[in-house]
Amino acid sequence: MTTSKAALFPPEIEAYRERIDAQLDRYSQFDSDCPDHLCEAIRYCLLAPGKRIRPLLVLTAAKICGGTIENALPAACAVEMIHNYSLIHDDLPAMDDDELRRGRPTCHIKFDEATAILAGDALIPLAFEVIARDIKPAEVANQCVGVLARAAGPSQLVGGQADDLNLQFAPADVESLEKIHRRKTGALLAVSLEMGALSAQATPEQRVSLVNYGKHLGLAFQIVDDLLDLRGSQAKMGKKTGKDADLGKQTYPSVIGEESSVLRAQEMADKAIDSLKPFKDAATALEFLARFVVGRTH
Ligand code: GRG
């Protein structure tokens, strides 16, 4: 993120971003048994300038539930690792076949296809290793492992991606689109909030509010992603835009129209913010993140 954009963020969020980046750096320094080129590929992707939305959600959720950043940080890094693996694999020729990600050549272009597959593979167990080892107490680590594994698994992230690949050229309605995106995009966002709550040993009411916020935010996020693919610039997005339309892919704007998509994204962000009522004024950073997701330009 550039300095001018960073200046728009509340200072606490900027401080979280710095801690996340520093911890990701530490977590991706491997022993001599990890081949140099694999280490280089993992770090090239994991430390690339992403928005860090998911780890920011973990830390912000933990904070408003009275937890510590220290205990939430492993979960924050873990979800960013899973997210990164999914981006690396999504960019492969067998999937979305993209050459640009976060403004730089994708992993398989910079290195090679086998290295990209392995870099993505390596990030999955690493995510679970850091949670299992670094979140305290062990019971909370265990809960985080369980919810993250489910969110990244066959009925959520991977299942949503599989359905998305199959649905691509079939006629779609808004319900099928939402079913895909609730899993492909929404699951990792919702589990970020849930792990933040778990790491803070939040009350069940707090946890439910945060998961609801995450679910609505996930839909808003995807609608905006579709709109940005349609009208965003490659320079700002750091990836090729206009791909969905070129491929005749079903997206929110193609199914419900551009104007309705804008309204629906806004409606979802409002619902997300509504879910935060039990936190009263303590949730302003999450409100900010919901508005950022809808207003983002990359
Ligand atoms: C390969 C199992 C598997 C899943 C891939 C991540 C994904 C599923 C597909 C990527 C395609 C895509 C554009 C999905 C829409 C939402 C999304 C995940 C966008 C990228 O997330 P950002 O904007 O990225 O948070 P940064 O780079 O900022 O982290």
Side-chain angles (χ1 to χ4, degrees):
M1 185 170 294
T2 63
T3 317
S4 59
K5 279 180 196 121
L8 300 172
F9 277 70
E12 75 197 273
I13 301 246
E14 267 317 302
Y16 293 166
R17 283 177 54 82
E18 280 169 25
R19 286 191 72 171
I20 291 160
D21 284 342
Q23 191 65 22
L24 286 172
D25 186 357
R26 280 193 281 275
Y27 277 150
S28 57
Q29 282 165 15
F30 305 110
D31 62 30
S32 59
D33 280 345
C34 175
D36 287 346
H37 72 288
L38 180 60
C39 174
E40 201 192 324
I42 293 170
R43 288 175 62 81
Y44 173 78
C45 298
L46 189 63
L47 307 181
K51 295 182 288 300
R52 311 280 186 243
I53 289 173
R54 295 153 195 81
L56 286 172
L57 290 172
V58 177
L59 298 190
T60 313
K63 188 73 186 172
I64 67 172
C65 293
T68 66
I69 297 306
E70 196 187 2
N71 205 38
L73 204 48
C77 292
V79 75
E80 183 66 18
M81 289 169 190
I82 297 289
H83 169 60
N84 265 263
Y85 121 74
S86 80
L87 297 178
I88 298 170
H89 283 192
D90 185 65
D91 289 335
L92 288 167
M95 298 221 192
D96 224 25
D97 195 9
D98 268 309
E99 299 194 348
L100 200 61
R101 165 77 60 190
R102 293 173 167 174
R104 313 194 310 182
T106 48
C107 194
H108 65 280
I109 297 292
K110 172 84 179 168
F111 300 89
D112 56 61
E113 227 175 295
T115 305
I117 292 170
L118 292 171
D121 288 344
L123 284 166
I124 306 170
L126 186 63
F128 293 104
E129 180 188 348
V130 303
I131 291 182
R133 188 190 57 223
D134 293 345
I135 293 189
K136 307 283 182 260
E139 188 197 335
V140 169
N142 197 22
Q143 289 173 324
C144 288
V145 163
V147 293
L148 183 59
R150 175 153 175 83
S155 298
Q156 298 284 320
L157 173 65
V158 177
Q161 173 76 350
D163 275 353
D164 192 33
L165 291 170
N166 284 334
L167 184 86
Q168 258 182 49
F169 307 107
D173 49 50
V174 74
E175 286 76 27
S176 1
L177 268 188
E178 269 180 22
K179 188 171 175 213
I180 288 178
H181 297 310
R182 190 167 36 77
R183 294 171 292 151
K184 185 183 120 176
T185 310
L188 283 192
L189 290 164
V191 82
S192 303
L193 278 304
E194 190 167 19
M195 288 198 295
L198 285 170
S199 76
Q201 305 195 39
T203 65
E205 192 201 13
Q206 288 175 324
R207 188 169 155 188
V208 168
S209 300
L210 287 169
V211 170
N212 284 337
Y213 164 90
K215 285 180 179 163
H216 290 120
L217 186 74
L219 283 179
F221 188 93
Q222 180 62 47
I223 299 169
V224 171
D225 213 72
D226 284 355
L227 284 164
L228 287 173
D229 186 76
L230 187 69
R231 50 195 204 188
S233 78
Q234 175 167 311
K236 266 195 178 158
M237 294 288 285
K239 64 179 183 183
K240 195 169 185 298
T241 51
K243 260 193 97 178
D244 294 343
D246 290 352
L247 291 169
K249 213 177 152 185
Q250 304 297 338
T251 63
Y252 280 92
S254 77
V255 173
I256 62 171
E258 246 182 282
E259 218 171 294
S260 302
S261 301
V262 173
L263 292 175
R264 192 155 175 80
Q266 190 54 59
E267 184 198 341
M268 288 300 134
D270 290 343
K271 282 193 172 171
I273 291 168
D274 259 10
S275 314
L276 300 171
K277 276 193 181 131
F279 294 101
K280 303 204 173 95
D281 290 346
T284 48
L286 286 181
E287 278 190 43
F288 175 89
L289 286 171
R291 297 199 199 288
F292 168 75
V293 160
V294 175
R296 73 196 167 102
T297 53
H298 67 298

